[in-house]
Amino acid sequence: MDRQPATEARPAPSLRAEGISAGYGAVPVIRDISIAVGPSEIVAIIGPNGAGKSTLLKSLVGILRVTSGRVMLGEDEVTNRPPEELARRGVGYVPQVNDIFEPLSVLENLEMGGYLLPSNRIRPGVERVTQIFPALAALLKRRADKLSGGERKMLAIGRVLMLDPKVMILDEPTANLSPKLADSLLREHVTRLAAAGKAVLLVEQRARAAMQVAQWICVLVSGSTRLEGRPNDLLRRQDFEELFLGAGTRNPVNDKQEEADEDT
Amino acid sequence: MSLFVAAFGFGLVSMSVIALAAVGFTMQFGITNMINLAYGEVMIASAYVAYYIDQTGISIWVAMIGGAIFGAVFSFLINRFIYAPFMRKGTANLGMVIVSLAVSLMIANLLLPIVGYYSVSYRERFGSIVRLGSVVLTVNQMLIIALAVVVMLAIHALLRYTRLGKAMRATAANPTLARSSGIPTQRVIDIVWLITGALCGLAGTVAGLDSETFAIASGAGFLITALAAAVLGGAGQPYGAMVGAVVIGMVTELSAAAWSPDYKQVVAFGILVVVMVLRPQGLLAKRGALAAAG
């Protein structure tokens, strides 16, 4: 692992993983990973397909068993606590797929996002979320599986916002979105979450876009942290692309699709 | 013509009995992902509990509550101590079906030395007769229809308007996301077993009352009819099971009037086969109660 010296202090972590390993069978998919995210900070995990990015997030939120290391939420250890407990303690998780309750209406999805709230705080919660995502306000009665890709992701994030979590964990929120929508989601909404004081940890395939919004980048390759640091420091490194290219599968920094879209 | 009108009346009773059974069965599958082949035996066991209460001289309607409570507790315990441990170990769906088949055989054989082979009847089988035009029904049959209507409305209200019911639908749709939203899915599933078990016990008692006599051997028939209605409507969908019950209940009784009562089961499964060929996902697969309106 290769660390960059920090030029200015990062916030005290809201959520941090200390040397965690996790996987599906006997062989761990991620090994000895440490990562932290603090209030008002956006930390992006980038890396090639199959690097273990989603696995890392799932092990942080209690869906996947951590086999070694520990997960800390503030001062409390929450390693392998069940997902419902992490939700109660202020960790919001938006999976990459299966991120909404498809047969339920938009309103019901939000109500379920606010399941832990007392009943008199559900309606204010829905109002707050529809202020953040005005597009959802007109769709409350619609079945969630009838939404467009962008609306769906707004609902997925809105569902999590119902509990007003301290930590937001987003697994590739821009996957399946048009480049334009992806860009606005990252620049407007994700940035706004951090501005509101939330600790935002996200996995992002579009490395360039991630580097524009994140304050800290963690490059994951083959289940280990290859590199981490501030985006500018990383980009300045001679060997950055090489480290990425060494990963093999594709080169997310020079994603052709993304380049083409940014030119227009 | 009056034969068909009379058959229509019997159809109403049949569909009520089938609906009570099929909705519980389909909710078990839709929410807990369990195809519970022991459902028919739990129905019969509950019918016997109601029978013994009935024998003490208490009203059959009180005995029915006893049957429902027994069905709820029994189903809850079967899940807690048999199904859930297997599921935790990651037993595949087919394996779970075999487990439930084993449970069904165990219940039947445990019941046998207690209740015997012979058919039994509730004391008050008929009640007085009510005539509505050419439709002739007993008071008990009228009450069965009313009970089914009330229970169906209650299930609808539960799933559509209550926090618990919505949590059940959320758990059915996406259990992992439900947990990440803070929904205690384990407790929700426990409650599903209690509610569907109560429906199962109620259905067993009602089926016993409607069929005039019943024995341990009736369990398989109960299960198969409930299964047919559930699959016909779209497996896992409570509204689908209601529609399936209406179709099977009504068509079998009308066919009995037109043709012969001996072929009721043949007709029921004939419908099922035709629907499965034309619409394999079931009649209401996309728009059941577990889904949102619209």
Side-chain angles (χ1 to χ4, degrees):
Chain A
M1 198 162 75
D2 197 346
R3 264 179 210 282
Q4 289 286 311
T7 45
E8 55 183 285
R10 293 178 63 196
S14 309
L15 179 78
R16 73 179 193 276
E18 297 174 353
I20 61 169
S21 301
Y24 296 91
V27 184
V29 175
I30 54 167
R31 284 178 307 275
D32 192 26
I33 291 186
S34 295
I35 194 166
V37 59
S40 304
E41 189 183 37
I42 299 175
V43 172
I45 303 164
I46 60 177
N49 285 327
K53 304 185 296 290
S54 293
T55 304
L56 171 59
L57 296 194
K58 283 180 188 164
S59 62
L60 292 177
V61 298
I63 292 173
L64 200 60
R65 194 161 175 78
V66 173
T67 49
S68 66
R70 51 182 201 159
V71 182
M72 302 293 294
L73 189 60
E75 294 303 306
D76 303 328
E77 179 166 355
V78 294
T79 318
N80 290 328
R81 302 307 304 161
E84 51 269 43
E85 181 180 331
L86 283 152
R88 200 166 58 237
R89 285 166 168 255
V91 178
Y93 169 57
V94 180
Q96 183 185 345
V97 291
N98 297 326
D99 51 352
I100 55 173
F101 300 110
E102 288 190 344
L104 274 63
S105 72
V106 169
L107 178 60
E108 286 169 339
N109 266 273
L110 295 178
E111 288 171 353
M112 288 299 104
Y115 184 85
L116 295 171
L117 297 175
S119 57
N120 62 353
R121 282 182 49 203
I122 297 274
R123 191 183 289 267
V126 172
E127 276 167 20
R128 189 167 46 79
V129 169
T130 49
Q131 273 163 17
I132 297 169
F133 298 114
L136 292 180
L139 301 170
L140 289 177
K141 290 235 156 71
R142 186 165 301 181
R143 248 180 86 123
D145 60 0
K146 299 261 196 312
L147 298 180
S148 71
E151 292 162 352
R152 182 188 169 110
K153 198 45 88 174
M154 286 181 200
L155 176 60
I157 296 174
R159 178 190 59 76
V160 163
L161 287 176
M162 285 293 291
L163 292 180
D164 200 13
K166 294 193 293 280
V167 180
M168 295 277 291
I169 297 184
L170 312 174
D171 193 351
E172 287 204 45
T174 64
N176 306 322
L177 296 190
S178 71
K180 202 175 159 192
L181 270 176
D183 201 49
S184 92
L185 186 78
L186 287 179
R187 282 173 202 263
E188 290 174 34
H189 295 298
V190 174
T191 310
R192 197 164 355 134
L193 294 175
K198 297 187 190 309
V200 180
L201 178 63
L202 85 155
V203 161
E204 185 51 64
Q205 273 279 344
R206 302 166 206 241
R208 183 185 297 273
M211 291 192 151
Q212 284 169 353
V213 296
Q215 283 83 53
W216 194 263
I217 299 283
C218 174
V219 183
L220 211 62
V221 177
S222 307
S224 316
T225 310
R226 176 69 64 92
L227 184 66
E228 63 175 315
R230 292 182 187 283
N232 288 337
D233 297 336
L234 293 192
L235 285 170
R236 232 177 276 130
R237 279 179 66 124
Q238 297 282 316
D239 59 349
F240 182 62
E241 292 213 356
E242 189 189 315
L243 280 165
F244 244 122
L245 288 168
T249 52
R250 65 185 267 223
N251 179 358
V253 179
N254 290 331
D255 194 306
K256 290 276 192 310
Q257 173 73 36
E258 203 174 305
E259 294 256 280
D261 296 325
E262 282 183 0
D263 291 342
T264 56
Chain B
M1 193 60 218
S2 66
L3 185 63
F4 283 99
V5 178
F8 174 78
F10 295 139
L12 291 177
V13 181
S14 267
M15 68 168 81
S16 302
V17 176
I18 298 169
L20 285 169
V23 168
F25 178 84
T26 215
M27 281 173 69
Q28 285 180 355
F29 173 63
I31 302 171
T32 76
N33 211 19
M34 183 71 212
I35 299 174
N36 178 20
L37 295 187
Y39 197 84
E41 299 306 331
V42 177
M43 279 175 76
I44 273 294
S46 308
Y48 272 106
V49 168
Y51 169 74
Y52 289 118
I53 299 174
D54 183 59
Q55 288 298 300
T56 63
I58 298 171
S59 153
I60 180 62
W61 303 100
V62 176
M64 194 175 281
I65 294 170
I69 292 171
F70 173 82
V73 174
F74 195 31
S75 299
F76 172 82
L77 293 176
I78 290 173
N79 177 59
R80 250 308 165 74
F81 292 105
I82 302 176
Y83 297 159
F86 273 103
M87 279 186 159
R88 267 199 300 279
K89 279 199 288 184
T91 307
N93 282 348
L94 185 59
M96 293 308 300
V97 172
I98 304 298
V99 169
S100 77
L101 190 61
V103 169
S104 147
L105 292 172
M106 282 161 64
I107 297 171
N109 287 290
L110 284 172
L111 217 51
L112 202 52
I114 305 171
V115 302
Y117 285 102
Y118 303 107
S119 294
V120 296
S121 300
Y122 295 122
R123 286 179 304 115
E124 189 191 341
R125 270 179 288 171
F126 306 111
S128 46
I129 285 179
V130 182
R131 285 174 196 279
L132 300 166
S134 307
V135 179
V136 181
L137 292 174
T138 65
V139 169
N140 280 359
Q141 286 174 322
M142 302 279 291
L143 287 171
I144 288 172
I145 296 169
L147 179 70
V149 170
V150 168
V151 168
M152 295 308 122
L153 289 175
I155 293 289
H156 168 69
L158 169 75
L159 292 173
R160 184 68 61 204
Y161 303 114
T162 69
R163 179 166 171 266
L164 173 65
K166 289 173 194 174
M168 286 177 182
R169 291 163 53 212
T171 303
N174 195 335
T176 308
L177 193 68
R179 293 185 71 188
S180 286
S181 302
I183 298 172
T185 53
Q186 205 47 59
R187 201 184 318 152
V188 168
I189 285 172
D190 281 347
I191 297 171
V192 168
W193 281 95
L194 284 172
I195 292 175
T196 57
L199 281 173
C200 177
L202 199 61
T205 313
V206 167
L209 189 63
D210 183 50
S211 59
E212 295 176 19
T213 66
F214 60 93
I216 291 178
S218 316
F222 290 176
L223 170 71
I224 286 179
T225 315
L227 189 72
V231 173
L232 185 63
Q237 301 293 351
Y239 288 167
M242 294 177 202
V243 173
V246 167
V247 172
I248 288 186
M250 196 49 87
V251 175
T252 51
E253 293 299 338
L254 291 176
S255 76
W259 192 12
S260 158
D262 298 336
Y263 294 117
K264 272 189 192 177
Q265 296 268 352
V266 176
V267 170
F269 284 91
I271 304 165
L272 184 61
V273 168
V274 171
V275 171
M276 288 298 101
V277 169
L278 299 176
R279 200 176 152 78
Q281 70 274 36
L283 295 173
L284 288 196
K286 279 279 175 196
R287 292 173 53 101
L290 294 176

